[in-house]
Amino acid sequence: MKFLLAILLSISIIPQPSSVTEKGGSFTLGPRTAVVSHCPEFDEVAADFRQEMAVPTGYALAAKRHLFGRAIILEKDESQPAEGYRLAVGRRRVKVSASDAAGAFYGLQTFRQLLPGSAYSDKKVDGVAWKAQCCHIEDAPRVAWRGMQLDCCRYFYPVETVKEFLDMMAMHKQNRFHWHLTEDQGWRIEIKAFPRLTEVGAWRDETAGYDEKGDGIRHGGFYTQDEIRDIVEYARHRFITVVPEIELPGHASAAIAAYPELSCTPDEPKKVATTWGIKKDVFCPSPRTFGFLEKVFDEVLDLFPSKYIHIGGDECPKDAWRASAYCRNLARELGLSGVDDLQYYFVKHFDSYLRERGRTVIGWDEILDGSAVESTVVMSYRGHKPAMRAMERDMKVILCPNRWCYYDYHQNEIEDLPKNHHLFITLRKAYNYDPVAQIGDSLYNAKSDLILGWQACVWGEFIPDTKQLEHQAYPRAAAIAEFCWSRDENRDFADFCTRIPKEFERLDARGINYSKAFYNVIVNMNLEEDYPRDVELEIDVPGAVIHYTTDGTEPDASSPVAPSLLRVDKGDVIKARGFTADGEPLGVLMTREFGK
Ligand code: ACM
């Protein structure tokens, strides 16, 4: 949809920089513009930018400056903070000053966002004046971990999809790609020592989801080690660290299907899971399994230079261990509090194994249950309580509380989309996430240094393809990106909404199937309250007005304007829609029968 209210702000950057001072005039990127690095450390950043900008502009930008020509100059400035930059856009010269290559890269990302949205096109665009508003910008990130997680196991996504995901992360100055690579429903990483992991474990007979009945369609795929190296390198050019996740001890059905001896019940039939949910057949804590996983990690470490390695740790039922005489004996011999604490034994072993090799382990917050290994980093997804428990023990944390950060949940309750979790996170909710309110002032203020940062997660159960993935991830990825990058004093949802039209231009330029829920009416109410109850109708589009009806007819711009609170009774039907100031309808019609 063409955004009719488009506020012609020339400066519309996401994430919002620390300070922006607009100046008169503009800089025009032309065929003779040079992109010049004044510091060898920034040469690659400059070269990559010339190459990237050559696509939409068709210009072969120069590496050397003509005497009087326009230029974009990268220069070293030790006074800039890590990953920070100063961007000065003048009529003939753009200067990016940074103390490290990441800062130089982010300065150029900001410059690119000053250009028309089509500067992000993956094809040549004709007839565009590549103008950037003159300005002075100072900027630096709020936290070091600005992540996005992607589950490539429930469904397999091609390399190109992963690269596009990385491109969008780079555009949003996100720097940690948490890549979920092993699961019950598919093992996605080639391991040379164990070819059956991908020959067998990467394929399932069909997909039944949460239903009994499958679709009869074989599904699978995996990333070869060459493809993984290529992706890691692609990410490196974009200042993104790829953090692989190899799940243990649970979510292991695909590995067990390939090598049944890794389970406590090797003689029972095994297969790669075709349904979603938590599976009881998990890795057996035997020397054989440990030896297997060590060899897997040896190859993983060779592929991924990341300091952090994610070992999963979530949702591991202990039934198979409790039923196993071997496990009961082992727990006794080890002096553990019970069989359940074999999870701790697993985590402790691989924490030591990986630490000896210079890496740091991350695990989902279940690694805190029972005994905890204090050198691990806790990824808190079941709300904030696990993060709080970890912080109280001075353990480092990364936060992705599902109610704000699980972008596989729908963006709106009125989207006509495949069956999902029946939970939704609007753009507004994603943006207005407030960890201080959840964690509490005193703990947050005393120990916020332990928070490495935040990330959004995109789990795949309801995301069968790239189009749906794009729909789930965008534009909410912009919300978590701004949350992670911009300090609270620079963040404001209403202001963010004024920058969304330009964001959509950028996404359109890449042909991304982002959600249009931004244009829809949001219904807020307290589900606990008796009828009649107050209902709030909201729309995030700046300047939009909501018109509504109660007689079953479709509202138009002459229908009553919705008050901020509407009193509704059981059985009432409200139809509502946003309209621009010119009376143009926005989004899709919202129909709600209350009390149903
Ligand atoms: C998770 O959502 N099981 C980490």
Side-chain angles (χ1 to χ4, degrees):
M1 183 193 310
K2 198 81 205 142
F3 187 63
L4 297 164
L5 292 174
I7 297 161
L8 294 170
L9 281 185
S10 45
I11 298 188
S12 221
I13 296 159
I14 293 178
Q16 179 65 20
S18 308
S19 84
V20 179
T21 312
E22 223 168 301
K23 308 265 169 155
S26 60
F27 175 92
T28 304
L29 185 89
R32 285 163 61 82
T33 301
V35 182
V36 182
S37 161
H38 280 181
C39 159
E41 197 188 329
F42 300 167
D43 286 357
E44 188 177 74
V45 173
D48 286 350
F49 188 71
R50 285 193 293 272
Q51 198 182 326
E52 291 254 312
M53 290 311 299
V55 178
T57 63
Y59 303 154
L61 301 168
K64 284 211 167 58
R65 197 174 175 187
H66 297 279
L67 197 52
F68 301 109
R70 291 195 200 96
I72 300 167
I73 294 164
L74 306 185
E75 67 170 30
K76 183 102 169 166
D77 175 355
E78 295 290 2
S79 71
Q80 287 297 318
E83 302 185 277
Y85 65 91
R86 178 186 307 118
L87 172 67
V89 179
R91 287 169 201 258
R92 301 199 64 75
R93 200 169 76 154
V94 173
K95 198 159 87 177
V96 179
S97 313
S99 64
D100 55 23
F105 176 77
Y106 292 136
L108 287 176
Q109 288 302 313
T110 296
F111 172 73
R112 193 170 176 184
Q113 290 202 12
L114 292 171
L115 296 170
S118 45
Y120 282 87
S121 175
D122 48 10
K123 292 176 214 64
K124 184 166 178 289
V125 192
D126 293 319
V128 175
W130 302 105
K131 282 182 187 300
Q133 174 73 44
C134 290
C135 61
H136 183 102
I137 291 178
E138 301 275 349
D139 203 8
R142 167 181 167 195
V143 291
W145 187 287
R146 306 183 298 278
M148 289 294 287
Q149 181 259 23
L150 183 61
D151 166 16
C152 292
C153 299
R154 269 43 180 263
Y155 287 96
F156 175 73
Y157 309 122
V159 169
E160 290 319 310
T161 300
V162 176
K163 287 186 171 174
E164 184 69 26
F165 199 75
L166 292 168
D167 282 335
M168 290 299 97
M169 286 182 65
M171 182 176 99
H172 293 132
K173 303 187 175 84
Q174 293 171 296
N175 65 352
R176 299 285 183 268
F177 174 49
H178 168 181
W179 199 5
H180 187 74
L181 284 167
T182 73
E183 254 307 336
D184 296 307
Q185 296 82 11
W187 180 282
R188 304 283 175 234
I189 168 173
E190 180 190 24
I191 299 293
K192 304 265 192 206
F194 302 110
R196 284 176 60 82
L197 281 173
T198 42
E199 285 165 12
V200 174
W203 304 91
R204 61 176 178 261
D205 294 341
E206 59 176 357
T207 305
Y210 286 113
D211 299 330
E212 297 290 305
K213 197 167 152 21
D215 59 7
I217 303 168
R218 186 169 150 85
H219 179 87
F222 65 93
Y223 305 99
T224 65
Q225 294 205 348
D226 283 347
E227 286 170 334
I228 288 171
R229 284 201 178 85
D230 178 43
I231 285 172
V232 168
E233 179 64 2
Y234 193 85
R236 185 188 69 76
H237 278 266
R238 288 154 183 78
F239 294 85
I240 297 168
T241 304
V242 184
V243 180
E245 181 184 352
I246 307 296
E247 277 263 20
L248 61 88
H251 288 288
S253 303
I256 288 171
Y259 297 98
E261 61 271 27
L262 302 173
S263 140
C264 294
T265 51
D267 299 329
E268 288 178 8
K270 311 287 179 192
K271 65 175 204 162
V272 178
T274 57
T275 55
W276 312 140
I278 299 171
K279 308 297 172 200
K280 291 189 175 157
D281 202 2
V282 301
F283 284 133
C284 179
S286 63
R288 190 198 292 261
T289 306
F290 280 24
F292 163 85
L293 284 168
E294 285 172 6
K295 285 207 182 77
V296 168
F297 279 117
D298 290 346
E299 294 191 31
V300 166
L301 297 192
D302 199 39
L303 290 167
F304 296 94
S306 168
K307 172 181 166 193
Y308 295 100
I309 303 290
H310 202 307
I311 63 165
D314 60 322
E315 299 175 332
C316 178
K318 311 298 187 296
D319 309 54
W321 297 347
R322 286 183 208 130
S324 149
Y326 167 78
C327 291
R328 290 195 302 272
N329 276 337
L330 179 65
R332 212 172 301 122
E333 270 170 31
L334 293 168
L336 299 176
S337 61
V339 176
D340 289 14
D341 228 14
L342 287 169
Q343 162 119 354
Y344 161 78
Y345 174 58
F346 247 108
V347 173
K348 176 122 186 92
H349 180 85
F350 287 99
D351 177 69
S352 304
Y353 191 80
L354 293 168
R355 240 172 340 106
E356 279 161 19
R357 286 154 184 78
R359 312 298 178 102
T360 299
V361 159
I362 302 175
W364 296 110
D365 59 47
E366 283 95 332
I367 63 168
L368 282 172
D369 298 345
S371 310
V373 182
E374 302 219 332
S375 41
T376 55
V377 176
V378 176
M379 192 166 262
S380 188
Y381 76 99
R382 294 176 301 176
H384 295 78
K385 291 229 161 60
M388 292 161 71
R389 276 162 58 208
M391 288 163 79
E392 273 152 10
R393 300 172 74 156
D394 286 327
M395 292 172 72
K396 294 205 170 84
V397 297
I398 296 160
L399 287 111
C400 50
N402 64 322
R403 280 171 52 204
W404 291 271
C405 297
Y406 271 25
Y407 288 178
D408 42 320
Y409 302 169
H410 281 324
Q411 327 223 1
N412 192 311
E413 60 179 333
I414 57 174
E415 288 175 315
D416 180 21
L417 287 167
K419 193 172 109 186
N420 200 320
H421 301 279
H422 307 295
L423 290 164
F424 63 99
I425 300 173
T426 60
L427 183 64
R428 181 186 296 224
K429 181 164 182 187
Y431 190 93
N432 284 334
Y433 165 53
D434 178 3
V436 187
Q438 301 296 323
I439 291 175
D441 281 336
S442 64
L443 181 62
Y444 190 89
N445 292 335
K447 302 219 171 170
S448 63
D449 285 355
L450 294 168
I451 302 175
L452 300 182
W454 284 266
Q455 69 178 33
C457 297
V458 189
W459 292 103
E461 287 93 334
F462 296 101
I463 307 184
D465 56 31
T466 303
K467 284 280 161 232
Q468 187 64 29
L469 167 58
E470 292 172 351
H471 180 95
Q472 298 302 133
Y474 311 109
R476 286 182 297 194
I480 187 79
E482 184 150 308
F483 176 82
C484 288
W485 180 276
S486 312
R487 276 158 224 287
D488 284 345
E489 60 272 24
N490 295 319
R491 292 197 317 113
D492 172 70
F493 183 64
D495 182 74
F496 177 74
C497 290
T498 67
R499 288 178 277 125
I500 284 290
K502 181 81 182 268
E503 170 83 0
F504 284 175
E505 281 178 28
R506 293 189 279 261
L507 298 175
D508 282 333
R510 299 193 83 82
I512 286 183
N513 180 44
Y514 56 90
S515 164
K516 313 288 189 297
F518 177 68
Y519 297 108
N520 295 343
V521 171
I522 300 165
V523 185
N524 280 319
M525 60 186 163
N526 180 356
L527 294 171
E528 313 281 296
E529 209 178 298
D530 288 335
Y531 283 102
R533 62 163 72 138
D534 286 331
V535 167
E536 224 175 356
L537 300 184
E538 296 173 331
I539 189 160
D540 293 334
V541 178
V545 181
I546 299 171
H547 294 278
Y548 79 112
T549 62
T550 53
D551 60 2
T553 60
E554 207 170 299
D556 59 26
S558 65
S559 307
V561 173
S564 52
L565 279 183
L566 205 59
R567 193 88 180 145
V568 300
D569 208 347
K570 224 176 182 154
D572 284 355
V573 177
I574 304 281
K575 287 184 186 268
R577 189 166 195 170
F579 290 82
T580 67
D582 298 335
E584 293 289 329
L586 292 163
V588 298
L589 175 70
M590 191 282 298
T591 302
R592 184 78 182 243
E593 185 174 346
F594 291 90
K596 271 210 89 171

